[in-house]
């Protein structure tokens, strides 16, 4: 009898404990992550052209010189941005992380590179500082505020020079429409909000320098900052310069429309130059200009830019010194920098890398920009007090396509910002 | 002469064997399903980013207040309810209708069953991309409409159209399983009752209402609950067909949890949303079971 009771009690205890043991076994350990001895794990953004072979070739000289092995890893989820926090939570984060930036959550998990002499001269190093600490170093910039245009369409529409004011731009859109072109190509998905921000960066940053900080300090609301842009877009949609149906169009279809010569203007970042190069010979010549500025301001305005090919080192790296050495190599070795500048729409001010015609136009815009400014949610110390701004901004920008007024759009983004502060 | 165990001891041994066979399954179920739900419930009262270096901070009902106090979130919950209710009705009507057409086994119907089940074999992500190519502004349908000189239709670029287009696509991708359930249910309808109804001169509709429908009661319950829960979890099709747009008009709760709250590492808020989803699924299931029980009781009292 007593034996039975004892066995039942053991069974009950086992039933209670085993799930927890299983859960503990499945969950993370708190020990250090990283690869085997002498191996550095680097998580990178894998794309069609930045494939595993590209990355392995890039780090080969480092491996030969240091005797360390670099293990290239793609994201386990949708993106590096999604995978890195997941791996941090699971205790399996890589030693070096490429393509994303620190935020309030991830910063405590990263190595401060402020004291590294080699890091100081790298592009946008100070722009990405959080407080006095520097967690990310990069190779160049991805230039955001660019308007690509179809020179043939401009000629047929009788436009001789690229617009530098919003009034000229609106007039040019009208001429392009009359000439039978889609005046401005836009798209749905993330691109709706991105394009509206891209085209408005220079103006916004002239009117409200470091506008993200002004919103954080409650001196400005996002709605106040963007309402003129909402108004401008709404007017263009109303005039048929932007197609309402673009809200349901995929970004790749929008790329295709511009490449096929159907559109006059197309707002995009410097990475679009790689898409154009890949498309081969186009039926028209591509031009690029910096977006217009506000009335009475000097053209060109500040250029929206993000640090390109940023690298960060995980604090739990098994070989932190080796991981730092690898990052130093990637951002300072002349051959490695050159390879990355030629890879995927990455530019560096005053760079002398051999370039295609479109690349050279972008390089000129970057070199002549009076300043490089934070985009979207912001970066480093110039940040909005909310996370998830870009997807919400896209949603609000799309509401202009579906009938919302600019005032409604401004109110919606302010309400969301207040709810999420 | 073989010794026989006393019946009490035999029963106890048999019970021991049964328990030992059940316990592993119960443990796995508890570890993989019950424990995570308990954790989700716990995290829903905390502010936490999911990192082992951070301790979850207890904040009481704050996450639930955020969910119900945000227009964005309440809008998402309304869209989820519309998708679940309208979708479940449409899936089951379509599946039952087709099951009635395909219930006889001949070569054509066997082929028909395979074709009808085919959408369910596709990944929901593929389904979304496929229909994007069909219904998008430059998709197959709109290109054909333009070719014949008609205006294109805003399947994915108008908020209302996009919601109904998405429900249609989800129904298309889901009804295969329900079709199989109904086909199995129809096999179980007593032949003698159907023949008796025929002999009594009942028409097709009368036979369906008086014989087939009551016999399908348990199948309908299972089909409605499973399809309703699948629809509550709608995520993949949203990602690949509409991306939640235009203007957030197709954002479901599951999409918000997986594409917004988790990527922002707002584990507490995401857990609160997940708990609400679990409660919604429970309410849906219990409501359907309650309605069925009441219908059965009514039928018995009439009988």
């Amino acid at each position: 009898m007593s034996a039975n009771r004892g066995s039942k009690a053991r069974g009950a205890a086992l039933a209670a404990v085993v799930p927890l043991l299983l859960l503990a076994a499945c969950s993370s350990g708190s020990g250090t992550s990283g690869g085997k001895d002498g191996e550095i794990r680097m998580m990178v953004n894998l794309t069609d052209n930045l494939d595993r072979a590209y990355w392995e070739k890039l780090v080969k000289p480092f491996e030969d010189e240091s005797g360390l092995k670099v293990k290239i890893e793609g994201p386990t989820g949708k993106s590096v941005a999604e995978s890195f926090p997941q791996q941090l939570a699971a205790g399996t984060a890589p030693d070096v992380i490429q393509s994303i930036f620190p935020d309030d959550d991830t910063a405590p998990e990263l190595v401060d590179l402020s004291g590294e002499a080699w890091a100081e001269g790298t592009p946008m190093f100070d722009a990405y500082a959080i407080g006095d600490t520097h967690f990310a170093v990069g190779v160049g910039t991805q230039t955001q505020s660019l308007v690509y245009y179809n020179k043939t369409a401009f000629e047929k529409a009788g436009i001789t020079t690229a617009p530098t004011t919003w009034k000229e731009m609106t007039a040019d859109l009208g001429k392009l429409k009359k000439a039978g072109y889609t005046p401005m190509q836009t798209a749905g998905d993330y691109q709706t909000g991105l394009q509206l921000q891209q085209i408005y960066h220079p103006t916004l940053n002239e009117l409200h320098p470091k506008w993200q900080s002004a919103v954080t300090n409650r001196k400005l609301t996002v709605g106040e900052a963007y309402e003129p842009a909402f108004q401008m877009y709404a007017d263009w949609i109303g005039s048929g310069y932007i197609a309402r149906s673009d809200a349901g169009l995929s970004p790749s279809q929008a790329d295709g429309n511009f490449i096929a010569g159907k559109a006059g203007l197309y707002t995009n970042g410097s990475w679009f130059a790689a898409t154009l190069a890949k498309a081969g010979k186009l039926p028209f010549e591509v031009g690029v200009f910096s977006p217009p500025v506000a009335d009475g301001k000097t053209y060109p305005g500040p250029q929206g830019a993000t640090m390109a090919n940023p690298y960060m080192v995980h604090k739990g790296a098994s070989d932190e010194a080796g991981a730092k050495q690898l990052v130093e190599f990637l951002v300072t070795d002349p051959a490695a920098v050159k390879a990355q500048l030629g890879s995927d729409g990455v530019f560096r001010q005053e760079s002398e890398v051999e370039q295609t015609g479109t690349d050279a136009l972008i390089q000129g815009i970057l070199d002549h920009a009076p300043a490089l400014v934070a985009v979207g949610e912001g970066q480093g110390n110039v940040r909005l007090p909310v996370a998830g701004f870009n997807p919400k901004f896209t949603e609000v920008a799309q509401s202009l396509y579906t009938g919302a007024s600019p005032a409604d759009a401004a109110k919606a983004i302010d309400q969301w910002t207040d709810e999420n502060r | 002469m073989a010794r026989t165990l006393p019946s009490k001891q035999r029963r106890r041994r048999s019970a021991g064997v049964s328990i030992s066979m059940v316990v592993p399954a119960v443990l796995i179920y508890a570890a993989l399903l019950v424990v995570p739900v308990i954790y989700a419930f716990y995290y829903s009262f905390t502010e936490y980013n999911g990192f082992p270096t951070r301790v979850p901070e207890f904040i009481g009902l704050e996450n639930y207040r955020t969910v119900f106090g945000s227009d964005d979130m309440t809008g998402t919950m309304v869209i989820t309810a519309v998708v679940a209710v309208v979708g479940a009705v449409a899936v089951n009507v379509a599946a039952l209708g087709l099951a009635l057409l395909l219930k006889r086994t001949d070569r054509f119907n066997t082929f028909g069953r395979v074709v009808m089940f085919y959408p369910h074999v596709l990944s929901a992500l593929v389904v979304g991309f496929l229909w994007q190519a069909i219904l998008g502004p430059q998709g197959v349908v709109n290109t054909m409409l333009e070719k014949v000189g008609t205006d294109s239709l805003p399947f994915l670029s108008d908020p209302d159209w996009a919601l109904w287009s998405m429900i249609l696509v989800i129904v298309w991708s889901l009804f295969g399983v329900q079709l199989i359930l109904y086909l199995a249910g129809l096999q179980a309808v007593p032949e003698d009752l159907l023949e008796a109804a025929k002999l009594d001169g009942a028409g097709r509709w009368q036979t369906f209402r008086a014989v087939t429908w009551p016999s399908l009661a348990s199948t309908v319950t299972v089909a409605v609950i499973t399809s309703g829960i699948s629809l509550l979890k709608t995520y993949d099709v949203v990602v690949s067909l509409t991306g939640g747009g235009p203007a957030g008009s197709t954002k479901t709760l599951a999409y918000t949890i997986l594409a917004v709250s988790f990527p922002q590492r707002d584990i507490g808020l995401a857990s609160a949303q997940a708990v609400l989803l679990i409660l919604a699924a429970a309410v849906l299931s219990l409501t359907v079971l309650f309605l069925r029980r009441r219908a059965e009781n009514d039928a018995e009292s009439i009988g």
Side-chain angles (χ1 to χ4, degrees):
Chain A
M1 208 52 177
S2 65
N4 263 349
R5 209 177 287 154
S7 114
K8 273 182 194 168
R10 275 199 300 277
L14 203 64
V17 168
V18 166
L20 297 175
L21 289 175
L22 277 172
L23 189 76
C26 295
S27 72
S28 64
S30 55
T32 54
S33 60
K36 295 175 279 193
D37 277 351
E39 184 183 77
I40 298 166
R41 290 172 53 213
M42 179 163 79
M43 195 199 289
V44 298
N45 186 25
L46 290 176
T47 63
D48 286 349
N49 50 334
L50 304 185
D51 57 10
R52 199 172 287 276
Y54 160 82
W55 289 107
E56 282 170 356
K57 193 178 164 197
L58 182 68
V59 299
K60 181 80 175 45
F62 171 78
E63 290 180 317
D64 293 344
E65 201 181 305
S66 66
L68 294 166
K69 170 95 184 95
V70 180
K71 190 181 174 202
I72 302 296
E73 294 179 3
T76 45
K78 235 174 17 183
S79 62
V80 176
E82 186 187 286
S83 300
F84 176 54
Q86 282 172 358
Q87 293 193 5
L88 268 177
T92 57
D95 304 322
V96 175
I97 308 99
Q98 183 263 353
S99 80
I100 58 168
F101 306 108
D103 57 33
D104 288 338
D105 285 334
T106 54
E109 317 287 335
L110 301 166
V111 172
D112 179 9
L113 300 170
S114 305
E116 305 296 333
W118 53 266
E120 265 180 46
T122 52
M124 303 189 80
F125 184 59
D126 287 331
Y128 277 79
I130 296 181
D132 293 326
T133 48
H134 299 77
F135 299 106
V137 282
V139 171
T141 66
Q142 281 207 312
T143 312
Q144 301 264 344
S145 310
L146 302 172
V147 185
Y148 296 81
Y149 68 100
N150 177 333
K151 284 191 177 174
T152 309
F154 266 44
E155 274 166 30
K156 285 190 180 165
I159 306 165
T160 50
T161 53
T164 59
T165 65
W166 290 116
K167 206 172 164 185
E168 284 173 13
M169 180 104 159
T170 305
D172 288 349
L173 290 170
K175 289 177 191 169
L176 286 164
K177 192 180 177 193
K178 265 190 198 156
Y181 288 90
T182 300
M184 176 168 278
Q185 182 66 57
T186 60
D189 207 348
Y190 65 88
Q191 205 157 296
T192 316
L194 178 66
Q195 286 180 310
L196 177 50
Q197 289 187 61
Q198 285 171 326
I199 205 164
Y200 201 60
H201 287 143
T203 300
L204 179 58
N205 283 281
E206 278 179 332
L207 298 174
H208 307 287
K210 296 187 180 175
W211 65 274
Q212 292 96 336
S213 302
V215 171
T216 303
N217 300 330
R218 295 185 188 275
K219 288 177 182 157
L220 179 75
T221 71
V222 181
E224 283 166 359
Y226 270 103
E227 194 168 341
F230 292 153
Q231 184 64 60
M232 185 180 76
Y233 242 42
D235 290 346
W236 289 352
I237 292 166
S239 303
Y241 300 159
I242 292 176
R244 283 183 193 280
S245 61
D246 281 357
L249 198 68
S250 74
S252 58
Q253 282 172 319
D255 287 358
N257 287 348
F258 181 74
I259 287 167
K262 294 178 187 170
L265 296 169
Y266 190 39
T267 309
N268 218 319
S270 57
W271 56 86
F272 185 60
T275 308
L276 287 172
K278 218 170 166 186
K281 194 164 166 49
L282 303 182
F284 61 94
E285 196 184 338
V286 178
V288 189
F289 63 90
S290 182
V293 290
D295 286 346
K297 299 285 180 182
T298 313
Y299 182 86
Q303 178 62 228
T306 45
M307 185 191 277
N309 276 13
Y311 295 96
M312 308 189 298
V313 177
H314 177 213
K315 222 182 228 169
S318 52
D319 180 4
E320 196 175 297
K324 275 196 218 170
Q325 265 182 50
L326 171 62
V327 173
E328 179 184 355
F329 165 81
L330 288 164
V331 301
T332 59
D333 179 80
V337 170
K338 192 178 168 190
Q340 290 172 91
L341 288 181
S343 61
D344 192 16
V346 177
F347 291 82
R348 190 169 180 146
Q349 281 176 314
E350 313 300 338
S351 161
E352 286 171 5
V353 175
E354 201 180 319
Q355 292 172 319
T356 65
T358 308
D359 286 350
L361 292 171
I362 295 169
Q363 185 70 50
I365 290 170
L366 180 63
D367 289 344
H368 290 103
L372 301 182
V373 293
V375 300
E377 273 179 29
Q379 57 205 20
N381 293 320
V382 183
R383 278 176 303 157
L384 287 174
V386 285
F389 174 73
N390 289 343
K392 185 63 194 179
F393 188 84
T394 287
E395 201 179 302
V396 170
Q398 282 182 1
S399 73
L400 298 168
Y401 289 70
T402 59
S405 71
D408 288 341
K411 200 173 146 195
I413 194 74
D414 279 344
Q415 189 179 340
W416 176 84
T417 307
D418 288 341
E419 282 172 1
N420 290 278
R421 255 178 199 273
Chain B
M1 196 173 145
R3 263 177 11 148
T4 54
L5 288 168
S7 64
K8 205 173 176 186
Q9 206 177 339
R10 216 169 36 215
R11 273 206 303 274
R12 201 177 290 153
R13 185 169 289 181
S14 151
V17 170
S18 304
I19 289 169
S20 68
M21 292 173 85
V22 168
V23 163
V26 170
L27 289 180
I28 291 170
Y29 179 82
L32 299 180
L33 289 164
V34 179
V35 174
V37 169
I38 293 170
Y39 262 95
F41 192 69
Y42 160 63
Y43 285 138
S44 73
F45 298 107
T46 67
E47 194 192 329
Y48 183 44
N49 66 9
F51 295 170
T53 49
R54 168 96 185 270
V55 178
E57 186 191 338
F58 185 77
I59 54 167
L61 292 170
E62 196 52 42
N63 288 321
Y64 290 95
R65 274 191 212 108
T66 303
V67 172
F68 289 107
S70 158
D71 287 351
D72 201 22
M73 300 265 191
T74 44
T76 297
M77 287 193 277
V78 170
I79 289 167
T80 308
V82 170
V83 171
V85 173
V86 177
V89 171
V91 163
N92 286 282
V93 168
L96 179 57
L98 281 163
L100 289 167
L101 286 174
L102 298 171
K103 71 176 173 178
R104 271 206 320 226
T105 43
D106 55 39
R107 253 187 219 174
F108 175 78
N109 281 358
T110 308
F111 174 74
R113 287 175 187 184
V114 172
V115 169
M116 296 300 168
F117 190 71
Y118 169 71
H120 191 76
V121 175
L122 294 173
S123 140
L125 279 173
V126 173
V127 166
F129 288 126
L130 180 72
W131 279 92
Q132 231 257 358
I134 296 170
L135 299 178
Q138 291 178 197
V140 177
V141 175
N142 277 325
T143 306
M144 282 165 64
L145 288 174
E146 275 171 26
K147 286 255 189 295
V148 295
T150 317
D151 284 344
S152 57
L153 293 171
F155 293 112
L156 302 179
S157 52
D158 174 87
D160 294 332
W161 279 79
L163 180 61
W164 297 114
S165 300
M166 187 177 83
I167 291 173
L168 178 84
V169 170
I170 296 169
V171 169
W172 180 84
S173 70
L174 274 188
F175 80 88
V177 168
Q178 268 60 32
L179 173 66
I180 300 294
L181 286 174
Y182 284 119
L183 282 171
L186 288 171
Q187 309 296 323
V189 177
E191 273 302 318
D192 52 343
L193 282 181
L194 291 171
E195 278 189 25
K198 209 183 218 176
L199 287 173
D200 288 345
R204 278 185 182 177
W205 170 243
Q206 284 169 314
T207 308
F208 174 78
R209 214 181 57 172
V211 180
T212 311
W213 181 248
S215 307
L216 279 177
S218 53
T219 309
V220 171
T221 308
V222 171
V224 169
I225 290 174
T226 52
S227 57
I229 290 174
S230 293
L231 284 148
L232 275 176
K233 294 190 300 178
T234 298
Y235 164 72
D236 318 51
V237 173
V238 183
V239 170
S240 53
L241 182 72
T242 64
S249 57
T250 55
K251 263 196 330 188
T252 59
L253 193 51
Y255 175 83
T256 305
I257 294 169
L258 292 165
V260 181
S261 302
F262 269 118
Q264 285 175 19
R265 297 187 288 283
D266 211 340
I267 306 299
L269 185 64
S271 298
Q273 292 164 332
V275 166
L276 291 174
L277 203 56
I278 292 168
L279 290 177
V283 167
L284 175 84
S285 308
L286 292 173
T287 307
V288 174
L289 287 171
F290 170 76
L291 290 175
R292 189 196 150 195
R293 183 76 48 84
R294 204 171 71 172
E296 278 174 359
N297 290 343
D298 289 350
E300 276 168 20
S301 64
I302 291 166

